[in-house]
Amino acid sequence: MTTPGRGLHGHVLEALGPAIAAGTYPPGSVLRTDELAQRFDVSRSVMREAVRVLESMHLVESRRRVGVTVRPKAEWNVYDPQVIRWRLAGADRPHQLRSLTVLRSAIEPVAAGLAARHATAAQCAELTECALGMVAHSRGHQLEGYLLHDVAFHRVILTASGNEMFARLGDVVAEVLTGRTQHEVMFEDPDPAAVTLHVHLAEAIREGDAARAQALTREITVGALQELDILAP
């Protein structure tokens, strides 16, 4: 997964990437690098570097004597954290949130069941610490602090599953949780029932109860989908 670097080409990406993701440049649009370099007041080499990053995300393709063409959405690297962030910033947000939450509902219960079998003592301790951190930040409009513990909690589960494919989805889950908070698709304080479920999930994994861990995680993701029905219909 690609994360744009800092510097001039990063500034270009922060303007051009969201515009492509939002459909300002629909699939099939041809972008001229010379014109873009002038518009953003950067050199051609900076523009080419920005285009290379967009190509790595499969958002565009470059062809001689044609220019830079925006690719169909079906070809985008939708697992790239930056692409997710750009899509969440635009009008596609409700669809993107739902799509990602459905993905979580399919993956995370299985990962939690595996974590109950394979988590180390250190990982169990980290899960408990994260869950307690979520409890501590669940009141008083402390969503940023809550988010840090929530992201860490789910990263640990995906890693503790012992499946490297699940572990690589940590960035994807981090983006959807972060996007919900930054774009205010969250209640001012997290649902107390959801917070409690995370505490019980940490306990189930620590106790090696795979079936309970799966059931609790499924309940968490179903609750997240129900929140979207209310906050991002």
Side-chain angles (χ1 to χ4, degrees):
M1 295 183 182
T2 306
T3 301
R6 297 176 181 176
L8 289 174
H9 82 278
H11 291 301
V12 173
L13 285 167
E14 287 305 318
L16 196 53
I20 293 172
T24 304
Y25 301 104
S29 299
V30 176
L31 311 177
R32 307 292 181 184
T33 53
D34 289 350
E35 294 175 5
L36 290 171
Q38 287 184 342
R39 184 189 310 172
F40 292 108
D41 193 25
V42 296
S43 67
R44 292 180 183 178
S45 62
V46 168
M47 198 63 235
R48 284 195 295 269
E49 179 60 26
V51 168
R52 276 196 289 270
V53 176
L54 293 173
E55 284 183 303
S56 73
M57 299 172 175
H58 298 178
L59 294 183
V60 303
E61 61 179 345
S62 299
R63 288 184 292 178
R64 281 188 174 184
R65 293 185 292 276
V66 175
V68 179
T69 305
V70 178
R71 299 174 68 164
K73 281 187 178 182
E75 297 177 3
W76 294 358
N77 180 3
V78 293
Y79 289 102
D80 189 296
Q82 190 69 25
V83 174
I84 292 171
R85 196 173 309 156
W86 289 338
R87 294 180 72 188
L88 287 175
D92 197 33
R93 184 182 305 137
H95 172 76
Q96 175 75 151
L97 282 171
R98 185 164 297 280
S99 177
L100 290 166
T101 306
V102 169
L103 174 68
R104 289 183 60 201
S105 70
I107 296 299
E108 289 198 70
V110 178
L114 289 171
R117 297 185 180 96
H118 303 300
T120 64
Q123 287 170 329
C124 290
E126 188 175 358
L127 273 178
T128 299
E129 183 179 350
C130 291
L132 293 176
M134 292 171 71
V135 172
H137 291 83
S138 64
R139 285 290 175 268
H141 305 173
Q142 302 182 77
L143 286 181
E144 289 299 329
Y146 182 88
L147 174 64
L148 291 174
H149 295 287
D150 195 14
V151 168
F153 183 93
H154 291 280
R155 280 190 185 278
V156 174
I157 288 178
L158 291 167
T159 301
S161 72
N163 183 300
E164 70 278 11
M165 304 299 288
F166 288 173
R168 288 298 298 273
L169 290 174
D171 289 342
V172 172
V173 173
E175 286 299 334
V176 67
L177 294 175
T178 301
R180 281 172 45 191
T181 300
Q182 291 182 344
H183 297 292
E184 299 181 347
V185 192
M186 286 275 289
F187 297 114
E188 289 185 342
D189 284 328
D191 178 12
V195 178
T196 301
L197 286 172
H198 283 76
V199 174
H200 291 165
L201 176 55
E203 292 172 352
I205 291 174
R206 186 178 68 249
E207 294 168 359
D209 191 338
R212 184 164 178 253
Q214 278 190 291
L216 288 166
T217 308
R218 192 169 293 110
E219 195 171 347
I220 289 170
T221 56
V222 166
L225 281 168
Q226 290 172 341
E227 280 191 11
L228 290 181
D229 289 338
I230 299 170
L231 298 171

